[in-house]
Amino acid sequence: MDRMKNGRLQQWLRILVSMLILLRSEGLFVDITYLQSAVAKGAVCLDGSPPAYHLDRGSGTGINSWLVHFEGGGWCNNVTSCLARKNTRLGSSKYMDKNLAFSGILGNRGQFNPDFYNWNRVKIRYCDGSSFTGDIAAGNRATNLHFRGARIFLAVIEDLLAKGMKNAENAILSGCSAGGLSSILHCDSFKALLPMGTKVKCFSDAGYFINTKDVSGAQHIAAYFNDVVTTHGSAKNLPRSCTSKMKPSLCFFPQYTAQQIQTPLFLINAAYDSWQIKNILAPDVADPQRAWSKCKLDINNCSPTELRTMQGFRLNFINALTQLGASTSRGFFINSCYAHCQTEMQELWFGRSTPMLNNKTIAKAVGDWFYDRRPFQKIDCPYPCDRTCRNRVFGPEELTSI
C-alpha cells in the first residue's frame, strides 16, 4: 500500500514539474495566417476554406534558417468520416485557434530549444485528412467536400518561399503523427522546391506507422490506409519510387517508401507508440469485448499476456525499421516509452526529466545529427527497462480508435 502511495506521489510530483516547465516555456503564442490566395488554386480544406499556418520569424544567426512543421491529427478514410471532420479544426480553418502555443521543437528560447530557437519556425495546420497527399479536382457537390491536401502543401511552401524561405541556408521539414508521415512522404519534394545550396533534412515524429496484423489477425491498418488513398486520390502524389513497384496504398507506410528517400531523414518514435497500440495492434474492431481497454489507457495495467503481445509489436516495429537498410544519412531515436509525439511537448523534447537514449535528449540527438556534430542511431531496450520514459496515461474518452 505504501509503495502505491509513493508511486502516486511521484507521479503527481512529475505532473507538477511538467506544469511548471510548461508555464516557463510556453509563453509564445503565434498568430494564424490564412492563405486566401490558395483558394483560387483549389488548395483548400475539406470544407473549402483556405489553408492556414503559424509563422514565428527567426532572428540573429537563425534568420536564414527555416523549420516547417506539419500538424498531426489522423485521417479520414471515407465520405462519412471526412464529413465528421468538416466542421472541426481538422477540416476547416474556420474552427482553428487564431493563436497557437509554440513549444518543444518550435520554442523560441535557447534554454528549451538550443539548436532551433532562433530559426523561422512554421506550423502548417492540418485540415485535409490525407497527410497532405490528396488531390481530386472536382469537389463533391452532394457533400461539398474537397480533397486537396497535396495542393495545400505546395501553396503553403510557395508562400513561405516568397516570404524569405527562398534565401534559406538551412531548412527542416518535420511533423508529428499524421504530420510526421507527411514529413516523410514530402521530404524529397520539399528539398526540390528549395534553392540548390540549402542544407535540407527531414524529421518525422511518431510518423513511422507499420503494416502489421491486429490482435484478431486481420490487416486492419492496411485496409484503412487503402481507403484513405482511394478517397483522397492520393496515389499520384505518393513517391513514384514506391508506387511503381507496389500497390499505391502500401506506399502510405514508411517502411516501403523511406528507403528510397534521398534527403537525410531522422525518425523519432516510441517502439510502443500509444496511437499504434490503440489503432493498429488492438483497434476496437479487433477487440469487440474491449478486453484491451485498461491496457490501452495505461501500460501499467497491461496483463502479462498483453505485454507479450506488445513485445511482439515492438519486434515488428524494429523489423520494419531495420529493413530500410544501413544509411549514414539516416538517424533514429527509438525509445521504449508508451507515448505518441515527443517533439512538440517541452517536457519530452528538452528538460530535466526528458526521455533519454544513450544519455541524450531527443533535442540533443536531433541537433547533433542535423549539424553533423555526431550521428545518432539508437534503439532502446524493451519495456520496462527505460526509467527516463514519461509513459502516457489516457482518460476513457481517449479510447476511440479508427
Side-chain angles (χ1 to χ4, degrees), residues 102-396:
F102 272 24
S103 65
I105 197 172
L106 295 171
N108 71 333
R109 296 174 66 181
Q111 68 193 105
F112 297 117
N113 188 22
D115 283 305
F116 311 114
Y117 73 97
N118 64 348
W119 285 32
N120 297 280
R121 285 154 291 106
V122 182
K123 188 164 189 175
I124 303 178
R125 302 304 297 268
Y126 183 39
C127 63
D128 67 276
S130 72
S131 284
F132 298 90
T133 62
D135 192 358
I136 294 178
N140 187 316
R141 290 185 179 181
T143 61
N144 200 31
L145 284 171
H146 304 265
F147 303 111
R148 307 280 177 74
R151 297 194 197 190
I152 292 175
F153 166 71
L154 186 58
V156 171
I157 298 303
E158 287 176 344
D159 194 60
L160 296 175
L161 288 167
K163 289 182 175 175
M165 197 165 68
K166 63 180 182 295
N167 300 316
E169 296 169 2
N170 299 295
I172 291 170
L173 187 69
S174 67
C176 151
S177 191
L181 176 59
S182 303
S183 68
I184 295 173
L185 298 177
H186 288 294
C187 185
D188 281 344
S189 55
F190 177 69
K191 180 177 174 62
L193 291 166
L194 288 159
M196 284 284 275
T198 308
K199 179 175 184 172
V200 181
K201 295 189 179 184
C202 302
F203 303 160
S204 171
D205 177 11
Y208 203 86
F209 300 95
I210 66 168
N211 184 18
T212 191
K213 293 179 180 179
D214 62 32
V215 291
S216 74
Q219 294 279 0
H220 174 66
I221 190 62
Y224 181 84
F225 276 178
N226 182 69
D227 290 344
V228 172
V229 169
T230 302
T231 297
H232 292 267
S234 299
K236 57 183 174 291
N237 296 311
L238 297 173
R240 291 182 183 177
S241 57
C242 178
T243 57
S244 63
K245 299 175 184 176
M246 61 182 70
K247 186 178 178 181
S249 61
L250 289 176
C251 300
F252 225 60
F253 290 102
Q255 67 200 79
Y256 306 123
T257 58
Q259 188 174 28
Q260 287 79 38
I261 292 172
Q262 301 299 307
T263 309
L265 173 66
F266 195 101
L267 302 167
I268 302 145
N269 231 102
Y272 308 90
D273 182 284
S274 56
W275 190 95
Q276 295 198 51
I277 297 298
K278 291 193 293 181
N279 294 278
I280 295 181
L281 179 63
D284 290 349
V285 68
D287 180 34
Q289 303 302 316
R290 305 295 187 267
W292 276 77
S293 293
K294 290 183 178 179
C295 177
K296 291 191 291 185
L297 289 175
D298 184 347
I299 195 169
N300 291 311
N301 294 333
C302 296
S303 69
T305 301
E306 288 166 338
L307 282 175
R308 281 194 296 272
T309 302
M310 289 172 68
Q311 299 294 11
F313 179 88
R314 172 184 176 270
L315 291 176
N316 289 340
F317 183 93
I318 292 171
N319 288 336
L321 179 69
T322 55
Q323 75 182 39
L324 297 180
S327 172
T328 55
S329 71
R330 197 177 298 126
F332 46 86
F333 186 109
I334 311 298
N335 60 17
S336 289
C337 306
Y338 190 61
H340 183 67
C341 288
Q342 301 180 83
T343 61
E344 295 181 343
M345 298 180 67
Q346 191 60 55
E347 66 268 31
L348 301 181
W349 171 247
F350 188 76
R352 290 182 180 178
S353 56
T354 299
M356 301 181 81
L357 270 183
N358 204 40
N359 292 319
K360 280 191 179 182
T361 62
I362 297 171
K364 179 64 174 169
V366 167
D368 283 351
W369 177 82
F370 180 83
Y371 282 111
D372 303 311
R373 295 188 293 248
R374 288 181 185 83
F376 196 91
Q377 297 184 340
K378 300 294 179 182
I379 298 174
D380 209 352
C381 50
Y383 174 86
C385 73
D386 190 339
R387 300 301 179 186
T388 70
C389 280
R390 307 290 297 276
N391 292 321
R392 181 82 185 270
V393 177
F394 295 91

Side-chain angles (χ1 to χ4, degrees), residues 70-88:
F70 288 115
E71 182 180 28
W75 307 270
C76 56
N77 67 323
N78 52 39
V79 168
T80 301
S81 60
C82 290
L83 280 173
R85 293 166 75 101
K86 182 182 171 184
N87 294 323
T88 74

Side-chain angles (χ1 to χ4, degrees), residues 18-145:
S18 297
M19 289 175 68
L20 289 172
I21 291 172
L22 288 172
L23 286 171
R24 292 177 62 199
S25 63
E26 291 196 351
L28 175 67
F29 284 83
V30 181
D31 291 340
I32 198 167
T33 297
Y34 298 103
L35 193 52
Q36 299 288 351
S37 61
V39 176
K41 303 173 184 177
V44 293
C45 299
L46 285 171
D47 72 332
S49 60
Y53 63 84
H54 301 254
L55 164 63
D56 188 46
R57 290 283 187 177
S59 62
T61 57
I63 201 162
N64 287 320
S65 295
W66 290 74
L67 191 154
V68 180
H69 187 83
F70 288 115
E71 182 180 28
W75 307 270
C76 56
N77 67 323
N78 52 39
V79 168
T80 301
S81 60
C82 290
L83 280 173
R85 293 166 75 101
K86 182 182 171 184
N87 294 323
T88 74
R89 64 175 179 83
L90 293 172
S92 171
S93 58
K94 297 174 184 176
Y95 299 93
M96 294 174 182
D97 291 335
K98 291 180 171 58
N99 304 102
L100 203 64
F102 272 24
S103 65
I105 197 172
L106 295 171
N108 71 333
R109 296 174 66 181
Q111 68 193 105
F112 297 117
N113 188 22
D115 283 305
F116 311 114
Y117 73 97
N118 64 348
W119 285 32
N120 297 280
R121 285 154 291 106
V122 182
K123 188 164 189 175
I124 303 178
R125 302 304 297 268
Y126 183 39
C127 63
D128 67 276
S130 72
S131 284
F132 298 90
T133 62
D135 192 358
I136 294 178
N140 187 316
R141 290 185 179 181
T143 61
N144 200 31
L145 284 171

